Amino acid sequence: MISFLGKSPELQLEKDASSRYLPIVIAAMVFLASLALIGLFSLHSAVQSWSSAVSGNLTVEIAYEDGVDLDKKMAKAAKFLKKFPGIEEVNPLSIDEAARLLEPYLGRADIIKQLPLPRLIEVTISEGSSVDLLATAKKLSTEVPGAILNTHRPWLDKMILLARSVQFLAAAIMLLVGVVTVIIIVFAARTGMVMHQAIIEVLHLIGARDNYIAQQFQNYFARLCLIGAIPGSVIAILTMQLLSLLAGRLEAGLISAPTLILEGWIALAMVPILVVLLTTVTVRWIVMGSLKRMM
Amino acid sequence: MVRFENVGMRYGMGPEVLRDINMHLKPGSFHFLTGPTGAGKSSLLKLLALSHRPSRGLLTLFGQEVSKLQREDLPSFRRKIGVVFQEFRLLNHLSALDNVALPLRISGADEDQIHTNVTELLRWVGLGEQMFAKPPTLSGGEKQRVAIARAVINRPQLLIADEPTGSMDPEMGLRLMHLFQELNKLGTTVVIATHDIELIRRFSSPVMFLQEGTLHHSGAEEYLKRHRRSKV
């Protein structure tokens, strides 16, 4: 009887030098595929987080004008905005608060305060409300000249486009890894068939079915791939954790650490299983095809 | 049992190695197949063992035309055929016991039954002490006995043996020929390819003589007379 974890009793495929290093190749392939998958899901999470952070928030920017009382202009704009239905909170930022926001990029806050900075008002929209942002922006600029309502949408759209392109690239890498893995398996299985042709002939002549022979090949290759796929996955997860740690240390709001949602973890766990299934199907297809050409 | 009607065989696009072969082997018959080297004996045995298909003509085995057999039908037909290859074709990494047990394992027999039957047969062929020895450690004669035991363990309906006694001493050769005879008495059709005139003389079974790809039939006596004449 041939069991999945048992050795190939007649063909002795375990002694083949040709496929001995297959687990290392498979580990590398699984590592690359897992990294691509982690990137794909992390970007998905990042896009979600950017969207949710930006969609409920607007910024009103009041341009700096020499000799103009910007505090007065801010108060006028805030008063105007509070009248709009659907606007939950209007928070004019003081010059100190604005300087503190710029401190990580420009240096000391006390020096920044002396620069001709625009003034900012943070606006939060009530959840589920449908504020006409275009009309609001138009009315605001008429009411308070120099005030610009910034919805962050163009910036977000560009970021999403970039993220989607990288996700597409990650998916293409996964596909490429899959194709290369299949090609490697095809060559290894064909080499195995050639090396063991004499024994296969004997097995056929004493009444072995094609399935009996194919099972020995598919179990052996599936086992080799599993041996390679598990370390490949583990190394990819460790790499992800290391990148998370490094990204966390950057303390940059925009660059989020790679995080996986539940679906991501499930997909990651499925990679070794899929590789084993892909191997089994490929080897069976190759071996059965070759056996059919024999009598 | 076995019927050849105008059978021809070629390898790939090469010339015909067997031409217009006609023969009918009745169930339970015993035949010698002989002929000079290169006459096509091995090719004829390959057709009988279902290792190759004829290029033309009709080959019927166990009442079924071979050309009409589906691929999935071949294993069950092959299990009815025991083959002793000239070059033994044993699996070197398996013990003598496992080599002989292989046809039974492949057909899904019970392990206890396999062990009992194989052990008994190996003792009978004089390999009781070498059951766990691997083929590379066995002599030519011992390997041949393992190959014969593997061919007969399944009680085949058709037994084909290519020079089965070539590598062993006359006494053991005779003992194995008697095993073939016993199987033959139980209904197995036996075809033995040999160059050994002594063997043909001793067992006096019908002889099929291959010459330049064509098959001729004769009785043992007639063949031996012709052989003596050709020697003179």
Side-chain angles (χ1 to χ4, degrees):
Chain A
M1 197 184 138
I2 304 161
S3 64
F4 176 66
L5 289 171
K7 292 186 173 179
S8 50
E10 289 89 33
L11 293 169
Q12 288 274 295
L13 296 163
E14 293 75 16
K15 291 187 177 165
D16 276 5
S18 63
S19 52
R20 197 167 292 163
Y21 300 106
L22 192 64
I24 297 167
V25 178
I26 294 296
M29 292 296 162
V30 167
F31 172 73
L32 291 175
S34 300
L35 275 193
L37 194 72
I38 289 167
L40 208 134
F41 275 98
S42 294
L43 278 171
H44 180 75
S45 302
V47 168
Q48 296 277 359
S49 115
W50 296 335
S51 295
S52 64
V54 161
S55 60
N57 290 292
L58 308 171
T59 310
V60 174
E61 187 183 318
I62 295 163
Y64 178 83
E65 275 180 79
D66 223 6
V68 174
D69 185 356
L70 289 179
D71 285 333
K72 198 174 167 187
K73 257 186 156 180
M74 280 241 295
K76 194 178 175 188
K79 195 176 166 190
F80 172 79
L81 286 167
K82 274 176 188 167
K83 280 192 276 183
F84 268 86
I87 288 182
E88 191 179 280
E89 198 184 335
V90 178
N91 177 29
L93 298 184
S94 65
I95 188 80
D96 294 335
E97 284 171 317
R100 266 203 303 280
L101 282 176
L102 291 169
E103 204 174 5
Y105 309 99
L106 299 179
R108 283 166 50 190
D110 54 332
I111 296 171
I112 294 169
K113 275 193 281 186
Q114 290 165 24
L115 295 171
L117 291 177
R119 303 297 299 274
L120 302 171
I121 305 171
E122 210 174 46
V123 180
T124 311
I125 299 168
S126 326
E127 213 172 310
S129 68
S130 52
V131 180
D132 185 347
L133 294 175
L134 203 67
T136 311
K138 214 169 178 180
K139 280 182 187 169
L140 179 68
S141 57
T142 316
E143 191 74 21
V144 185
I148 303 157
L149 183 71
N150 191 348
T151 61
H152 311 297
R153 198 69 232 177
W155 171 83
L156 183 65
D157 285 346
K158 281 178 194 162
M159 288 302 286
I160 289 174
L161 183 68
L162 177 69
R164 294 281 179 249
S165 306
V166 177
Q167 277 184 309
F168 181 77
L169 189 69
I173 289 170
M174 283 177 65
L175 186 72
L176 189 70
V177 165
V179 170
V180 171
T181 307
V182 167
I183 292 170
I184 291 167
I185 298 289
V186 166
F187 275 104
R190 287 222 167 118
T191 308
M193 286 290 293
V194 171
M195 285 175 75
H196 297 278
Q197 194 168 3
I199 296 178
I200 291 169
E201 270 176 28
V202 172
L203 292 178
H204 262 158
L205 288 176
I206 58 177
R209 293 189 181 280
D210 288 350
N211 192 43
Y212 182 89
I213 297 163
Q215 258 190 351
Q216 295 198 25
F217 274 97
Q218 68 198 51
N219 289 353
Y220 168 67
F221 279 101
R223 202 167 54 240
L224 280 190
C225 286
L226 191 66
I227 291 167
I230 291 173
S233 276
V234 170
I235 296 168
I237 291 169
L238 290 176
T239 308
M240 182 187 85
Q241 298 298 338
L242 186 69
L243 285 176
S244 290
L245 193 74
L246 293 175
R249 281 189 184 172
L250 280 176
E251 291 176 355
L254 193 62
I255 303 167
S256 55
T259 47
L260 280 187
I261 51 173
L262 179 66
E263 288 91 331
W265 282 110
I266 293 170
L268 202 58
M270 289 292 287
V271 171
I273 299 167
L274 281 176
V275 168
V276 171
L277 281 177
L278 185 71
T279 304
T280 307
V281 171
T282 307
V283 170
R284 186 172 181 80
W285 169 59
I286 289 297
V287 174
M288 292 298 267
S290 302
L291 290 177
K292 274 192 183 115
R293 285 192 286 276
M294 299 165 84
M295 168 127 178
Chain B
M1 168 63 73
V2 179
R3 189 182 286 276
F4 280 60
E5 290 173 59
N6 297 318
V7 168
M9 184 192 164
R10 64 172 84 235
Y11 294 100
M13 300 299 285
E16 269 198 331
V17 289
L18 292 174
R19 289 191 305 277
D20 299 321
I21 304 290
N22 287 291
M23 69 172 179
H24 180 210
L25 309 182
K26 290 182 180 152
S29 54
F30 196 111
H31 304 265
F32 285 110
L33 174 66
T34 190
T37 307
K41 288 196 299 296
S42 297
S43 300
L44 186 63
L45 294 183
K46 280 176 184 169
L47 290 178
L48 282 171
L50 288 176
S51 160
H52 285 66
R53 286 183 200 260
S55 325
R56 63 181 173 90
L58 284 182
L59 167 56
T60 312
L61 270 179
F62 312 116
Q64 286 269 331
E65 202 191 309
V66 168
S67 63
K68 287 182 182 162
L69 282 179
Q70 296 293 311
R71 187 169 173 76
E72 51 271 23
D73 299 329
L74 288 173
S76 56
F77 270 75
R78 284 172 176 150
R79 286 174 198 178
K80 295 177 193 173
I81 306 169
V83 188
V84 183
F85 302 98
Q86 191 173 11
E87 67 280 23
F88 321 131
R89 298 178 81 168
L90 298 172
L91 274 57
N92 283 340
H93 58 275
L94 297 184
S95 65
L97 189 136
D98 286 331
N99 265 291
V100 178
L102 206 50
L104 295 175
R105 289 217 169 98
I106 281 172
S107 57
D110 174 61
E111 271 303 315
D112 289 338
Q113 194 199 333
I114 291 173
H115 193 264
T116 312
N117 292 356
V118 173
T119 311
E120 189 186 336
L121 183 57
L122 280 173
R123 283 203 186 106
W124 201 90
V125 297
L127 292 171
E129 299 296 314
Q130 281 114 317
M131 267 185 216
F132 300 102
K134 293 189 174 169
T137 64
L138 298 174
S139 69
E142 287 166 339
K143 281 183 201 169
Q144 201 152 26
R145 279 179 273 160
V146 176
I148 290 167
R150 185 178 68 184
V152 302
I153 190 75
N154 247 349
R155 291 262 180 97
Q157 289 181 36
L158 172 64
L159 178 70
I160 307 155
D162 197 357
E163 299 284 356
T165 56
S167 306
M168 55 187 77
D169 60 81
E171 195 189 334
M172 182 49 75
L174 215 56
R175 193 173 153 89
L176 287 168
M177 283 303 292
H178 285 132
L179 168 68
F180 294 155
Q181 274 194 321
E182 286 302 312
L183 280 166
N184 180 239
K185 278 179 197 159
L186 292 169
T188 299
T189 306
V190 179
V191 178
I192 293 178
T194 185
H195 284 110
D196 190 345
I197 293 295
E198 261 316 298
L199 211 62
I200 295 171
R201 182 175 292 124
R202 188 183 278 268
F203 287 88
S204 300
S205 291
V207 177
M208 298 184 288
F209 178 71
L210 262 170
Q211 195 164 33
E212 292 173 356
T214 54
L215 189 70
H216 309 273
H217 301 264
S218 68
E221 278 303 311
E222 192 189 338
Y223 173 74
L224 290 169
K225 270 185 208 163
R226 196 189 297 172
H227 182 75
R228 269 195 298 272
R229 274 202 301 272
S230 69
K231 286 277 178 194
V232 172

